[in-house]
């Protein structure tokens, strides 16, 4: 039985193992590779996508769980908050190796969509599930505060 | 490892491999005007991008692409190397691009290594003169082309921000317009380099070239490569170091939908499938019997006990100044301490991976390749090809921290062996899972250090004995002839054998141990442990003799102006000596690695419940001429975060029986955002040649934090990781 869902605004139907994680379905079957594999265990956040607007660890979400839902990946980001976050990421030169940054950005966009003026503690809470081994955390924090200003303006 | 001994690397110099950066200057600049053969052929056609020399390609659309001989793994190399070229070329920064150079040691050797590879924070240092000349030469060729086209004297032509002009005639042309003609110009034998006072890009914060791609999910990593018909492989490796496959049953694995092949290779049994998910399920269904007769079955606790015994006896001399025994006999006070360091996994965010495609006449590899020459030679060896028949496409690496710079091309050889085992019928993408990565070895070695100091009645250190016990990273690898001398692996003692402190009688000894656990360089290599042992021990001496840690260091570093420069700058900016509120404490450490000097002051707050947090690190760095201050700051922030992770999170442990206890980020924890301190980075202005900054920020952080805790608690901290609770204020 094919699993049907909406990916970045387009209807998708995938006839694969319904236990296949959403991450691998999107990467291997659909061919969108912006979302990354980091741990396969919902520990690092590199695979973060939005399901119905909420950040989800796609490496540990079976395809069957998103039947009929709206999924957004880094490739499908749009709108004021996403633009502000990505512009701030570029301005602050957050990325080093860059591998985790799609996931970081997805988590940051979800945070700023809900909370236009996050405190440092709010940022810690929302971003704690996203590991960056380059430890770009100082700049992630700065970029989120900066993007929040743009969103509020 | 026996296979590896057949891979020879060119003997570039007997100088220390990793610290060779400083030696990479005069006399070693190779023929940068050579152009890769196939690139040259491609460039002949009109209207095509033109190779001006081996490092610079100019396209008709006026973009200038720098072929980077160094891997971009986050450290900003592409941007840094392009900056050096653009400066001498007088290009506009917006027209600059960078991409990985092909594997070709004749053109793209790291001049500090003699082979093509990235590591030891050498990228800027070894490329500095070479790429300045490459840029200046290309500029001269563009000018010559314009002079010929416009029939004007070359000396009347100026170049600014990517525009070539002749004022008298009013003629102007872009690089793109002149590229074809310039590519045909005979390169001048000699060029004059720019006066550094006129630098307009070097020393400024030009924008990172990869910022946009890495903020939009479009940057291409190895894991993203998808060739027609490509299969995905996962390899089941032995659960213990030194174990081998005895037998296996592939029936259940082959029954998993999507599994195409199950093959045995040197390192284990590979499941090759249509996609990752099938390969993973197939691997879980494999039944393998292991031969563990030669495996390491001891726990890390047992290995450490062995190291502690070994440290009681003298090791091989790595440094011997004065008469240590006589000085100890005279000392008014003798201070002793020992320090322990665990195995550490690198855990880059992109697990190891490579894509291998076999053709009748060669092979093509895609990887975040860090040691092209070794990987190329090793792949060729497996396939019975000549190295030049193996093409390597170097892509962005999702971190490395040393892990991709493998001395035996481990993950590349695995990919090649799997592709060969399936008869080359499809391109193979090998992916390591995080569990493979954490359990897979190539760790920063475990070490045990003992230190002993003799102090006279005025508090002067008159004797210093330092013993280091641990595995060698280099022995048994192709680097051994260059980097192991008289039994001393330079990477085991760096930071200790070259301790700058003015102590008249000093002995540094090394006992190298051997066991099947595989080890490798980990961001800042020997300094990951030597900086901690020496800097924490120095603070123990300061405490025992009632001296201020900064004052004591100043006294001992009087003959080392660059150490002193960063120490003084960090101390001043951190407000060293100013009173702190209750529960707050400061510690300092200074350390040189890879010819760059870094001092860090840690500010730590301790809670009543015995837990603590690093609030702020103030760093001062001297890495010679700063090419891009913003990237330098980013690298120091990163180095601090990476080092702090190993300061507070447990390392790798082997259980009794030899299996690795950790498997993923839930039990091999790493630093997360709420644990990251504020970081302030101050750069010492310098006109010295640039040195590296990818690693030198890491070593001082752990000792600075330990020294802060020691200052505030009077407890001693003699092992990493530090205890994160149960610490009590005095």
């Amino acid at each position: 039985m094919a699993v049907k869902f909406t990916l970045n605004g387009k209807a998708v139907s995938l006839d694969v193992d319904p236990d296949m994680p959403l991450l691998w379905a999107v990467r291997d079957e659909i061919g969108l590779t912006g979302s990354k594999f980091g741990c396969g265990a919902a520990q690092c956040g590199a695979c973060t996508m939005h399901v119905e607007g909420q950040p989800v660890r796609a490496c540990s979400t079976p395809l069957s769980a998103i039947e009929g839902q709206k999924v957004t990946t880094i490739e499908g980001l749009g709108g004021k908050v996403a633009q502000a976050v990505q512009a701030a990421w570029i301005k602050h030169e957050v990325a080093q190796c860059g591998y985790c940054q799609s996931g970081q950005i997805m988590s940051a966009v979800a945070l700023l969509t809900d909370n236009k003026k996050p405190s440092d503690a709010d940022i810690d809470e929302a971003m704690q599930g996203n590991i960056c081994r380059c430890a770009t955390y100082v700049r992630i924090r700065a970029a989120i505060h900066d993007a929040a200003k743009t969103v509020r303006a | 490892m026996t296979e590896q001994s057949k891979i020879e690397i060119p003997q570039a110099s007997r100088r220390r491999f990793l610290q060779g950066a400083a030696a990479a200057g005069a006399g070693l600049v190779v023929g940068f005007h050579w152009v890769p053969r196939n690139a040259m052929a491609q460039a002949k056609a009109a209207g095509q991008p033109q190779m001006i020399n081996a490092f610079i390609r100019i396209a008709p659309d006026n973009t200038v692409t720098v072929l980077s001989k160094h891997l971009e793994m986050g450290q900003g190399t592409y941007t840094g190397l392009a900056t050096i070229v653009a400066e001498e070329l007088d290009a506009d920064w917006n027209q600059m691009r960078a991409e990985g150079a092909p594997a070709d040691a004749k053109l793209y050797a790291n001049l500090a290594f003699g082979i093509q590879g990235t590591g030891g924070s050498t990228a800027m240092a070894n490329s500095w003169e070479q790429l300045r000349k490459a840029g200046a030469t290309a500029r001269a060729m563009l000018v010559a082309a314009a002079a010929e086209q416009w029939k004007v004297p070359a000396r009347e032509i100026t170049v600014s921000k990517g525009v070539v002009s002749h004022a008298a005639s009013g003629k102007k042309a872009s690089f793109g317009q002149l590229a074809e003609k310039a590519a045909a110009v005979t390169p001048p034998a000699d060029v004059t380099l720019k006066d550094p006072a006129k630098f307009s890009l070097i020393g400024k914060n030009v924008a990172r070239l990869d910022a946009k791609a890495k903020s939009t999910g479009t940057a291409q990593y190895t894991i993203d490569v998808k060739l027609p018909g490509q299969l995905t492989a996962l390899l089941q490796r032995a659960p213990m170091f030194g174990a081998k496959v005895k037998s296996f049953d592939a029936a259940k694995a082959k029954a998993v939908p999507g599994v195409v092949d199950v093959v045995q290779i040197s390192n284990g049994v590979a499941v090759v499938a249509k996609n990752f998910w099938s390969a993973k399920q197939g691997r879980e269904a494999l039944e393998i019997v292991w031969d563990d007769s030669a495996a390491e079955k001891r726990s890390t606790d047992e290995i450490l006990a062995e190291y502690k015994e070994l440290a009681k006896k003298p090791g091989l001399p790595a440094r011997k100044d004065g008469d240590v025994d006589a000085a100890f006999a005279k000392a008014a006070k003798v201070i002793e301490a020992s320090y322990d360091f665990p195995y550490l996994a690198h855990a880059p965010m992109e697990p190891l991976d490579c894509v291998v495609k076999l053709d009748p006449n060669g092979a093509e590899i895609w990887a975040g390749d860090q040691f092209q020459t070794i990987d190329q030679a090793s792949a060729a060896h497996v396939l019975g090809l000549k190295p030049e028949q193996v093409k390597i496409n170097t892509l962005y690496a999702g971190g490395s921290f040393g892990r991709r710079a493998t001395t035996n091309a481990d993950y590349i050889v695995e990919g090649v062996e799997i592709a060969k085992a399936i008869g080359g019928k499809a391109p193979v993408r090998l992916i390591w899972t995080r569990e493979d990565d954490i359990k897979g070895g190539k760790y920063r070695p475990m070490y045990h250090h003992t230190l002993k100091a003799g102090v006279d009645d005025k508090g002067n250190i008159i004797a210093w004995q330092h013993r280091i016990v641990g595995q060698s990273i280099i022995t048994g690898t192709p680097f051994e002839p260059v980097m192991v001398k008289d039994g001393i692996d330079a990477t085991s003692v760096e930071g200790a054998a070259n301790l700058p402190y003015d102590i008249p009688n000093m002995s540094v000894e090394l006992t190298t141990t051997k066991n099947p656990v595989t080890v490798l360089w980990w961001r800042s290599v020997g300094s990951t442990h030597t900086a901690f042992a020496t800097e924490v021990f120095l603070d123990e001496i300061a405490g025992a003799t009632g001296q201020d840690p900064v004052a004591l260091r100043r006294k001992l570093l009087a003959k080392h102006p660059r150490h002193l420069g960063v120490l003084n700058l960090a101390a001043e900016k951190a407000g060293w000596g100013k009173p702190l509120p209750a529960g707050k404490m400061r510690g300092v450490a200074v350390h040189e690695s890879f010819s760059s000097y870094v001092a860090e002051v840690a500010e730590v707050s301790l809670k009543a419940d015995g837990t603590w947090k690093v609030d702020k690190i103030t760093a001062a760095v001297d890495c010679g001429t700063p090419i891009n201050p913003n990237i330098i700051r980013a690298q120091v922030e990163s180095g601090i975060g990476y080092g702090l992770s190993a300061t507070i999170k447990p390392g790798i442990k082997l259980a009794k029986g030899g299996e690795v206890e950790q498997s993923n980020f839930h039990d091999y924890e790493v630093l997360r955002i709420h644990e990251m301190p504020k970081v302030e980075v101050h750069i010492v202005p310098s006109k010295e040649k640039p040195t590296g900054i990818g690693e030198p920020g890491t070593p001082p952080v752990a000792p600075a934090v330990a020294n802060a805790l020691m200052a505030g608690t009077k407890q001693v901290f003699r092992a990493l990781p530090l205890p994160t609770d149960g610490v009590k204020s005095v």
Side-chain angles (χ1 to χ4, degrees):
Chain A
M1 259 283 284
V3 177
K4 293 186 173 67
F5 61 102
T6 305
L7 180 66
N8 298 333
K10 284 183 196 144
V12 175
S13 175
L14 277 184
D15 194 7
V16 297
D17 179 359
D19 289 337
M20 183 186 283
L22 174 61
L23 174 69
W24 290 106
V26 169
R27 287 184 56 90
D28 278 354
E29 304 302 316
I30 294 166
L32 293 184
T33 56
S35 315
K36 300 300 192 227
F37 168 68
C39 70
Q43 291 292 319
C44 81
C47 64
T48 305
M49 297 179 188
H50 294 171
V51 175
E52 298 293 330
Q54 294 302 308
V56 161
R57 310 302 179 209
C59 73
S60 304
T61 304
L63 201 53
S64 59
I66 55 125
E67 171 75 43
Q69 303 202 58
K70 286 194 192 79
V71 177
T72 306
T73 67
I74 183 96
E75 291 91 347
L77 273 186
K80 190 177 178 184
V81 173
Q83 279 167 15
V85 168
Q86 287 178 304
W89 242 249
I90 293 167
K91 177 181 153 196
H92 288 266
E93 299 197 342
V94 172
Q96 291 188 23
C97 92
Y99 191 80
C100 73
Q101 298 298 345
S102 293
Q104 303 280 0
I105 287 168
M106 296 308 283
S107 291
V109 170
L111 165 66
L112 289 180
T113 302
D114 288 348
N115 179 353
K116 305 271 184 280
K117 201 174 179 184
S119 63
D120 278 341
D122 295 334
I123 293 173
D124 281 349
E125 198 183 320
M127 303 301 293
Q128 225 174 89
N130 288 83
I131 292 172
C132 174
R133 286 294 278 154
C134 303
T136 60
Y137 301 126
V138 170
R139 289 169 192 242
I140 288 173
R141 188 182 303 284
I144 291 175
H145 283 306
D146 203 2
K149 270 187 216 156
T150 310
V151 170
R152 292 197 301 272
Chain B
M1 217 41 86
T2 47
E3 282 295 297
Q4 261 305 298
S5 58
K6 293 176 192 157
I7 310 295
E8 284 185 16
I9 58 163
Q11 285 276 350
S13 81
R14 303 291 297 180
R15 283 178 256 210
R16 286 179 64 192
F17 181 91
L18 275 174
Q19 298 227 321
L28 280 174
V29 177
V30 297
F32 51 79
H33 54 278
W34 299 339
V35 170
R37 260 161 291 145
N38 49 359
M40 188 69 123
Q42 281 166 14
K44 285 289 179 207
Q48 293 292 311
Q50 301 291 326
M51 292 298 300
I52 306 298
N53 57 46
F55 296 104
I56 301 169
R57 188 175 68 217
I58 300 179
D61 68 1
N62 205 29
T63 53
V64 177
T65 301
V66 172
L67 277 75
S68 171
K69 61 182 189 173
H70 292 295
L71 171 66
E72 177 58 83
M73 50 189 157
Q75 81 284 39
T77 308
Y78 278 12
T79 305
L81 296 181
T83 305
I84 299 173
V85 169
E87 182 68 66
E88 293 290 346
L89 192 58
D90 282 317
D92 185 90
W93 184 245
N94 290 321
Q95 74 188 129
M96 298 306 295
R97 308 284 183 272
E99 65 183 43
D104 184 345
K106 281 195 219 62
L107 294 175
Y108 301 115
N110 182 328
L111 301 179
F113 295 180
I115 62 165
Q116 191 174 350
T118 304
S121 296
T122 56
M124 295 306 129
N126 95 91
S127 305
W128 175 244
E129 287 190 4
Q130 186 180 40
L131 288 191
R132 286 185 71 192
K133 283 192 180 172
T137 306
R139 183 189 187 278
M141 290 159 78
L142 288 162
V143 167
E148 195 187 304
Q149 192 163 313
W150 299 335
K151 312 285 179 222
V152 300
R155 64 174 188 283
E156 291 176 9
I157 291 174
T158 57
V159 186
S160 175
K161 293 200 168 159
V163 180
V164 184
S165 317
H166 183 247
S169 65
K171 288 195 177 352
K172 276 180 200 295
S174 71
F175 291 174
Q177 288 166 330
L178 293 167
E180 202 178 321
K181 216 175 177 69
V185 169
T186 304
D190 209 10
V191 284
T192 309
L193 300 182
K194 222 184 232 187
D195 174 0
K198 294 194 173 127
F199 284 164
S200 62
L201 298 171
I202 289 168
K204 312 287 185 262
N205 296 316
V206 300
R208 272 188 81 119
L209 294 174
D210 51 358
K212 189 177 176 193
K214 289 178 175 177
S215 304
T216 51
T218 55
Q220 279 276 308
Y221 301 85
T222 304
I223 203 168
D224 306 329
V225 171
K226 195 169 190 181
L227 304 175
Q230 174 181 295
L231 301 172
T232 297
L234 264 66
L235 180 67
Q236 184 62 55
R237 296 170 192 82
M240 281 163 279
F241 295 101
K244 283 187 160 62
V245 176
K246 188 187 257 174
S247 63
F248 69 99
D249 183 347
K252 287 179 188 157
K254 282 183 172 166
V256 171
V259 171
V260 174
D261 254 318
V262 176
V263 291
Q264 185 180 348
I265 63 163
S266 309
N267 282 359
V269 180
V271 176
V272 186
K274 287 188 173 151
N275 56 45
F276 175 89
W277 185 237
S278 298
K280 184 161 185 284
Q281 288 178 300
R283 188 171 75 166
E284 281 162 14
L286 270 180
E287 289 171 358
I288 305 175
V289 180
W290 300 99
D291 169 7
D292 64 3
S293 54
E296 175 61 74
K297 296 191 194 74
R298 291 177 299 169
S299 67
T300 32
D301 288 347
E302 289 170 294
I303 296 171
L304 182 60
E306 180 210 355
Y307 287 12
K308 286 181 176 173
E309 276 307 306
L310 289 169
K312 290 176 184 164
K313 291 178 229 120
L316 290 173
R319 175 172 179 178
K320 219 166 168 48
D321 294 353
D323 188 338
V324 174
D325 291 337
F328 274 120
K330 284 196 301 203
K333 194 178 217 172
V334 172
I335 300 155
E336 290 183 81
S338 68
Y339 302 90
D340 299 319
F341 304 90
Y343 285 118
L344 295 173
H346 305 71
M349 288 311 295
E350 180 183 18
L352 295 178
D353 47 4
C354 64
V355 177
V356 180
K357 180 169 162 265
L358 303 186
D359 298 316
N361 301 313
E364 193 166 356
I365 295 170
W366 288 258
D369 204 294
Q370 196 169 348
F371 270 179
Q372 286 87 351
T373 303
I374 288 183
D375 291 342
Q376 190 181 37
S378 303
H381 182 76
V382 170
L383 297 167
L385 297 171
K386 292 183 188 130
E388 56 270 26
Q389 289 174 285
V390 176
K391 184 182 176 196
I392 298 180
N393 303 287
T394 299
L395 306 180
Y396 287 131
S400 172
F401 316 110
R403 181 62 187 88
R404 289 173 214 274
T406 72
T407 50
N408 68 344
D410 62 347
Y411 72 103
I412 298 285
V413 167
E414 288 177 354
V416 171
E417 285 188 348
I418 295 166
K420 187 183 171 188
I422 64 162
K425 67 184 174 193
V428 171
R429 173 181 63 163
L430 170 70
I431 299 180
W432 288 45
T433 63
R434 181 59 58 195
E435 289 79 8
D436 296 338
D437 174 57
I438 300 296
K439 290 184 178 292
K442 300 274 177 186
Y443 302 132
R444 192 288 303 274
M446 237 178 92
Y447 287 99
H448 176 70
H449 290 230
T450 62
L451 282 115
K452 188 172 152 189
V455 183
D456 70 11
D457 53 11
K458 295 183 193 73
N460 297 310
I461 306 170
I462 56 169
W464 177 279
Q465 180 194 279
H466 188 170
R467 284 183 183 159
I468 301 172
V469 179
Q471 284 168 268
S472 166
I473 294 169
I474 300 301
T475 306
T477 77
F479 298 99
E480 184 172 346
V482 187
M483 296 171 71
V484 181
K485 215 178 162 194
D486 301 327
I488 302 289
D489 176 341
T491 69
S492 300
V493 296
E494 62 186 355
N498 54 334
L499 194 74
Y501 295 129
D502 192 4
I503 300 167
N505 304 289
M506 187 179 290
S507 163
V508 179
E509 301 162 22
L510 174 68
T511 297
T512 298
T513 59
K514 240 181 148 172
N515 76 52
V517 181
T518 53
V519 294
L520 192 61
W521 22 55
W522 188 99
R523 196 175 196 168
S524 79
V525 199
S527 294
T528 59
H529 51 104
T530 58
F532 187 87
T534 57
E535 286 298 275
V536 172
F537 188 55
L538 196 72
D539 267 36
E540 293 201 27
I541 298 169
T545 55
Q547 303 184 71
D548 173 76
V550 169
L552 174 60
R553 284 176 176 78
R554 279 183 185 139
K555 191 169 79 179
L556 294 171
L557 291 171
K559 293 173 194 155
H560 294 272
R562 296 180 77 180
H563 286 86
L564 210 50
V566 293
L567 174 67
N568 286 335
L569 184 58
E572 178 209 322
K573 296 292 182 183
W576 188 267
K578 284 190 190 152
L580 285 159
K584 298 243 183 204
M585 45 212 66
R586 267 192 215 109
V588 68
V590 58
H591 191 80
E592 172 268 325
S593 57
F594 312 103
S595 308
S596 290
Y597 304 78
V598 182
E600 291 171 17
V601 174
E603 215 174 286
V604 175
S605 56
L606 181 63
K607 290 189 201 149
D609 66 0
T611 64
W612 52 273
K613 187 177 186 296
V614 182
D615 297 322
K616 186 179 174 185
I617 302 286
T618 306
V621 305
D622 175 354
C623 53
T625 300
I627 294 173
N628 187 313
N630 192 29
I631 291 179
I632 292 169
R633 278 192 289 275
Q635 281 314 294
V636 176
E637 290 162 11
S638 173
I640 286 168
Y642 200 75
L644 186 56
S645 193
T647 306
I648 62 172
K649 306 291 186 185
I652 293 286
K653 281 191 166 182
L654 271 58
K656 212 170 169 60
E659 288 199 32
V660 175
E661 288 181 3
Q662 291 76 19
S663 65
N664 205 316
F665 289 126
H666 67 286
D667 54 7
Y668 188 76
E669 291 181 47
V670 297
L671 194 82
R672 291 176 186 267
I673 192 168
H674 64 288
E675 295 157 325
M676 184 75 192
K678 289 196 172 73
V679 178
E680 212 177 274
V681 182
H682 302 276
I683 302 167
V684 174
S686 172
K687 290 190 167 63
E688 299 283 336
K689 283 182 186 174
T691 48
I693 202 61
E695 297 170 274
T698 299
V701 65
V705 170
N707 287 343
L709 287 169
M710 184 157 60
T713 64
K714 307 300 169 204
Q715 282 175 240
V716 289
F717 297 88
R718 292 176 174 169
L720 286 177
L722 302 174
T724 48
D725 55 19
V727 178
K728 294 288 176 208
S729 188
V730 280

